Amino acid sequence: DKMPAVIEELKEKNLLEESDGAMIVNLEDSKLPPALIQKRDGSTLYLTRDLASAFYRKKVYDFDKSIYVELHFKQCFEIIKRMGYDWYKDMIHVQFGMVALEEGTMSTRKGRVVFLEDVLNQAIDRTRQIIEEKNPDAENIDEVAKAVGVGAVVFQELSNSRIKDYTFSWDRTLSFEGET
């Protein structure tokens, strides 16, 4: 419900251009591709929602910094700047590589996603199984499994370059050999 106001403001500020029946913001002078705001059929895109979300977050939370990790956010920030809002400079774009699964690339559109909570729970469960196999008489197995399982996932993420793509592997993450 917040997108029409953003689209209207873009029109009022003469930032929208028609391109093959769609509405765009031309960002070529900033060395960015044109930003598609509204399709020919009137439907909106992720970028339109992200613009509306940025305005909502600024209004509701009045953030000091707002950190994003998707490439198209560079376009989003540039549009907010062109709309005359100086808080665009408090929004930071952080590049991130793709994390794939051994079964294939994750895709929200195809319904192939993994939630962090599920990864952490599975890491704890798998670690508990390993501990029970290697040392069934250990004390505080649940507590240790949680610390080691979550720690293994954190280490796995920190040991990879943030901007490089990699494939997540349970065997590598929960290995008790080498740098794991």
Side-chain angles (χ1 to χ4, degrees), residues 62-89:
D62 193 27
F63 55 77
D64 291 321
K65 287 281 181 232
S66 183
I67 300 173
Y68 292 81
V69 294
E70 295 289 332
L71 176 59
H72 73 265
F73 285 114
K74 285 184 178 181
Q75 294 174 314
C76 181
F77 302 160
E78 183 65 25
I79 292 169
I80 292 169
K81 174 183 174 184
R82 290 177 185 211
M83 291 173 78
Y85 295 96
D86 65 349
W87 49 267
Y88 78 91
K89 65 185 175 296

Side-chain angles (χ1 to χ4, degrees), residues 24-36:
I24 65 161
V25 175
N26 187 334
L27 304 173
E28 290 176 9
D29 59 340
S30 295
K31 296 185 172 93
L32 292 170
L36 184 58

Side-chain angles (χ1 to χ4, degrees), residues 2 13-14 26 29 34 49 51 55 58 76 81 96 104 116 124 155 159 162 166 168 171 177 180:
K2 312 234 180 322
K13 294 184 175 181
N14 295 316
N26 187 334
D29 59 340
R49 293 175 194 92
L51 285 165
F55 285 96
K58 183 62 180 175
C76 181
K81 174 183 174 184
F96 234 83
L116 179 59
I124 293 165
F155 183 84
S159 66
R162 175 179 51 83
Y166 81 94
F168 181 86
D171 291 337
E177 308 297 325
T180 62

Side-chain angles (χ1 to χ4, degrees), residues 101-127:
L101 302 173
E102 291 173 308
E103 304 84 46
T105 304
M106 288 188 269
S107 170
T108 54
R109 290 187 181 141
K110 294 178 182 175
R112 284 196 320 249
V113 295
V114 178
F115 296 102
L116 179 59
E117 181 178 18
D118 295 335
V119 170
L120 295 175
N121 287 334
Q122 190 167 356
I124 293 165
D125 291 343
R126 287 179 180 225
T127 302

